[in-house]
Amino acid sequence: MSAKKMFHAACSIAALALSFGAAAQEYPASLPPQEMVRNTLEQLPQVKAARNGIDLEEANAGRLRAGPYEWMVKGGLQRRTESASGTRYRENELAVERPIRWFGKGDKDRVLGEQRVKTAGFALADTWHEAGRAFLRSWFDAMREARTAARLQEQADLLKQQADVVRKRVKAGDAPRVELMLADTEYERASAAQAQAEQRAARVLSALQSQYPGAQLRVPQPLPEPVPLTGGAGEWKQRILADNHEIELARSMADQEKLNAERLALDRMPDPTLGVRMAQERDRQEKIVGVTFSIPLSGSLRRSQHEAGLAQARIAEDKAAQVSVKAESDAMSVAMNAEAAYETWHRLAQVAKQTDDNTALVSKAYSLGEASLSELLFARRQSMEAAASAEAMQLDALEAQARLLLDAHRIWQFEEH
């Protein structure tokens, strides 16, 4: 390769590395510390069970390597009596025998055992990832309820201040008493909504801490703003599919079933049993040493087992294809959802700012006597609803981006031990 071509190749590699680095998102501020999440996931029963599944398959792999056969010792003792002379003889026999795997069955068992351990490893990784997804959903559910309760408390405080202002104006004779009734009613409505939200937040937080004992909910103040994703949905889809535990698990299970079918095919040729036999007859006057050989006759049972294994392998292959298609669809959906959530939040945030500015103008007009309290309360209600919608979408966008990073293995990565 010429120096010029080497230079261009180096530039291409550098550009790719920079692109990859730019695509990497920082750890979201809306999430708990990674170490806390790892410790929490490690203690989940389903993760522990999947990890024990590896120990089980390693033990099974050892069993397959050793094979199903063991040495067998057979002995016999008999007495021979000659009818003519009446002479009696003591005779004994001893044999040692064992079935032997042949036609490559031992090697196939070893490979099958290794494949089962590999499948168990993918099952653990997939269980970890699914547990991370479930934790993410629970975390943001708790955040939503906590933020709803906090936001309604802020709104109730604001309406209480508004009612106090109206009360002073009524006492001063600058406003009719009906306006005080309207202001107090609006405040009471907001207080009741806040109390209900507080109860929901407490229930959800209790459920979170019960399911994940190590999780301590913290809602950052203010909420971090979602950031625009670097790279398109197609690029993120490829990143997700490049290391997808669900596909790896399905593919490994298909390979395992294929090996199992191949092993059943070998079993159509039965294993022989070889042995050594020693006997003493006529009170040790005759000594016998011989070799024994026996083999079952293959029948319809072994053929049916092989056919069932082939069918199971085809089923696993079809399921792997189905999982692959579903994973591709889900990956694209997650990437597109993250993009759409960010754009929607951005628009709703602008609407919330506009309604907030409008409320400030109406509030100033009310203080100058140029607007009624009904107009102010209506404007304030619109502002609150717009702010609630924007914040709800903000949390949706933060969760969608976190889910995207999780599926792309940028956060809470599974660490093999």
Side-chain angles (χ1 to χ4, degrees):
M1 181 182 293
S2 66
K4 184 176 181 180
K5 289 184 178 180
M6 292 179 62
F7 174 78
H8 285 303
C11 289
S12 298
I13 295 173
L16 182 61
L18 288 173
S19 175
F20 182 83
Q25 305 289 311
E26 294 183 359
Y27 187 76
S30 58
L31 298 179
Q34 293 216 54
E35 193 61 30
M36 190 207 81
V37 177
R38 292 186 188 281
N39 293 336
T40 299
L41 297 183
E42 281 283 359
Q43 300 307 314
L44 293 178
Q46 61 266 38
V47 174
K48 289 183 176 180
R51 196 175 293 283
N52 289 331
I54 295 181
D55 296 336
L56 172 63
E57 292 305 332
E58 287 179 344
N60 283 330
R63 174 180 60 82
L64 288 172
R65 285 193 300 270
Y69 305 132
E70 295 180 328
W71 287 100
M72 182 181 297
V73 178
K74 298 170 63 176
L77 182 65
Q78 65 184 22
R79 185 177 66 182
R80 185 193 301 269
T81 303
E82 292 184 355
S83 57
S85 63
T87 306
R88 298 177 178 179
Y89 302 98
R90 292 185 61 188
E91 300 177 344
N92 56 70
E93 180 181 359
L94 180 65
V96 179
E97 60 185 27
R98 182 188 183 188
I100 298 176
R101 289 179 293 178
W102 62 351
F103 289 103
K105 294 179 183 179
D107 292 337
K108 186 65 70 175
D109 283 339
R110 177 183 55 78
V111 174
L112 181 58
E114 293 173 353
Q115 183 63 37
R116 292 180 62 163
V117 173
K118 185 178 178 181
T119 300
F122 286 132
L124 172 59
D126 187 59
T127 300
W128 176 280
H129 190 69
E130 289 300 323
R133 287 177 174 176
F135 176 80
L136 186 69
R137 287 192 297 269
S138 299
W139 180 263
F140 273 95
D141 286 345
M143 280 188 64
R144 285 187 182 90
E145 296 299 340
R147 273 304 304 154
T148 298
R151 186 181 64 256
L152 289 176
Q153 183 63 61
E154 295 169 0
Q155 294 175 359
D157 293 342
L158 190 60
L159 290 171
K160 185 177 185 304
Q161 295 175 6
Q162 183 68 58
D164 291 341
V165 171
V166 175
R167 187 173 287 105
K168 291 179 181 179
R169 292 190 62 181
V170 170
K171 286 183 179 180
D174 294 336
R177 182 167 294 276
V178 67
E179 289 192 354
L180 179 59
M181 295 175 61
L182 287 174
D184 285 340
T185 300
E186 195 71 13
Y187 167 66
E188 292 299 333
R189 184 189 65 81
S191 296
Q194 194 280 331
Q196 292 178 342
E198 194 72 39
Q199 293 175 359
R200 289 196 303 269
R203 288 196 299 268
V204 173
L205 178 59
S206 176
L208 175 70
Q209 293 177 339
S210 175
Q211 188 173 3
Y212 306 101
Q216 297 296 325
L217 181 65
R218 58 172 185 83
V219 181
Q221 297 293 342
L223 278 178
E225 293 188 354
V227 296
L229 294 175
T230 54
E235 296 178 23
W236 281 99
K237 172 190 172 182
Q238 294 304 319
R239 290 174 189 145
I240 293 173
L241 296 177
D243 186 14
N244 188 286
H245 298 315
E246 190 176 7
I247 294 178
E248 292 170 341
L249 174 60
R251 185 70 261 165
S252 183
M253 291 181 68
D255 292 341
Q256 178 177 314
E257 291 300 334
K258 181 181 178 182
L259 286 171
N260 188 60
E262 293 174 356
R263 179 62 177 83
L264 290 172
L266 295 177
D267 266 343
R268 294 191 64 176
M269 176 61 71
D271 292 331
T273 299
L274 299 179
V276 177
R277 172 177 174 269
M278 295 175 291
Q280 294 177 340
E281 298 183 354
R282 303 178 66 84
D283 281 338
R284 299 184 180 181
Q285 295 179 39
E286 299 177 2
K287 295 182 179 181
I288 303 172
V289 177
V291 177
T292 62
F293 176 86
S294 64
I295 185 169
L297 298 178
S298 179
S300 60
L301 173 62
R302 296 175 184 270
R303 182 176 63 254
S304 298
Q305 289 176 333
H306 178 220
E307 291 173 352
L310 289 175
Q312 190 64 39
R314 290 194 297 269
I315 292 173
E317 189 70 31
D318 292 338
K319 285 184 177 180
Q322 180 182 0
V323 168
S324 180
V325 172
K326 179 180 178 296
E328 289 187 19
S329 176
D330 290 346
M332 194 64 183
S333 176
V334 168
M336 294 178 66
N337 184 46
E339 285 186 339
Y342 173 80
E343 295 297 334
T344 305
W345 163 77
H346 189 68
R347 289 195 297 269
L348 289 178
Q350 292 177 334
V351 172
K353 184 179 184 306
Q354 291 172 357
T355 55
D356 191 54
D357 293 341
N358 180 62
T359 302
L361 291 175
V362 177
S363 178
K364 184 177 181 181
Y366 174 75
S367 65
L368 297 175
E370 298 174 357
S372 66
L373 179 62
S374 297
E375 292 174 326
L376 175 58
L377 292 178
F378 179 74
R380 195 174 298 283
R381 190 178 302 163
Q382 281 189 320
S383 177
M384 291 177 179
E385 291 175 355
S389 297
E391 186 172 272
M393 183 50 65
Q394 183 177 359
L395 285 166
D396 287 349
L398 289 172
E399 181 179 6
Q401 290 185 355
R403 168 65 186 274
L404 183 63
L405 295 176
L406 175 63
D407 285 355
H409 296 171
R410 302 299 175 85
I411 60 174
W412 307 349
Q413 298 93 332
F414 172 72
E415 294 181 352
E416 297 186 36
H417 298 286

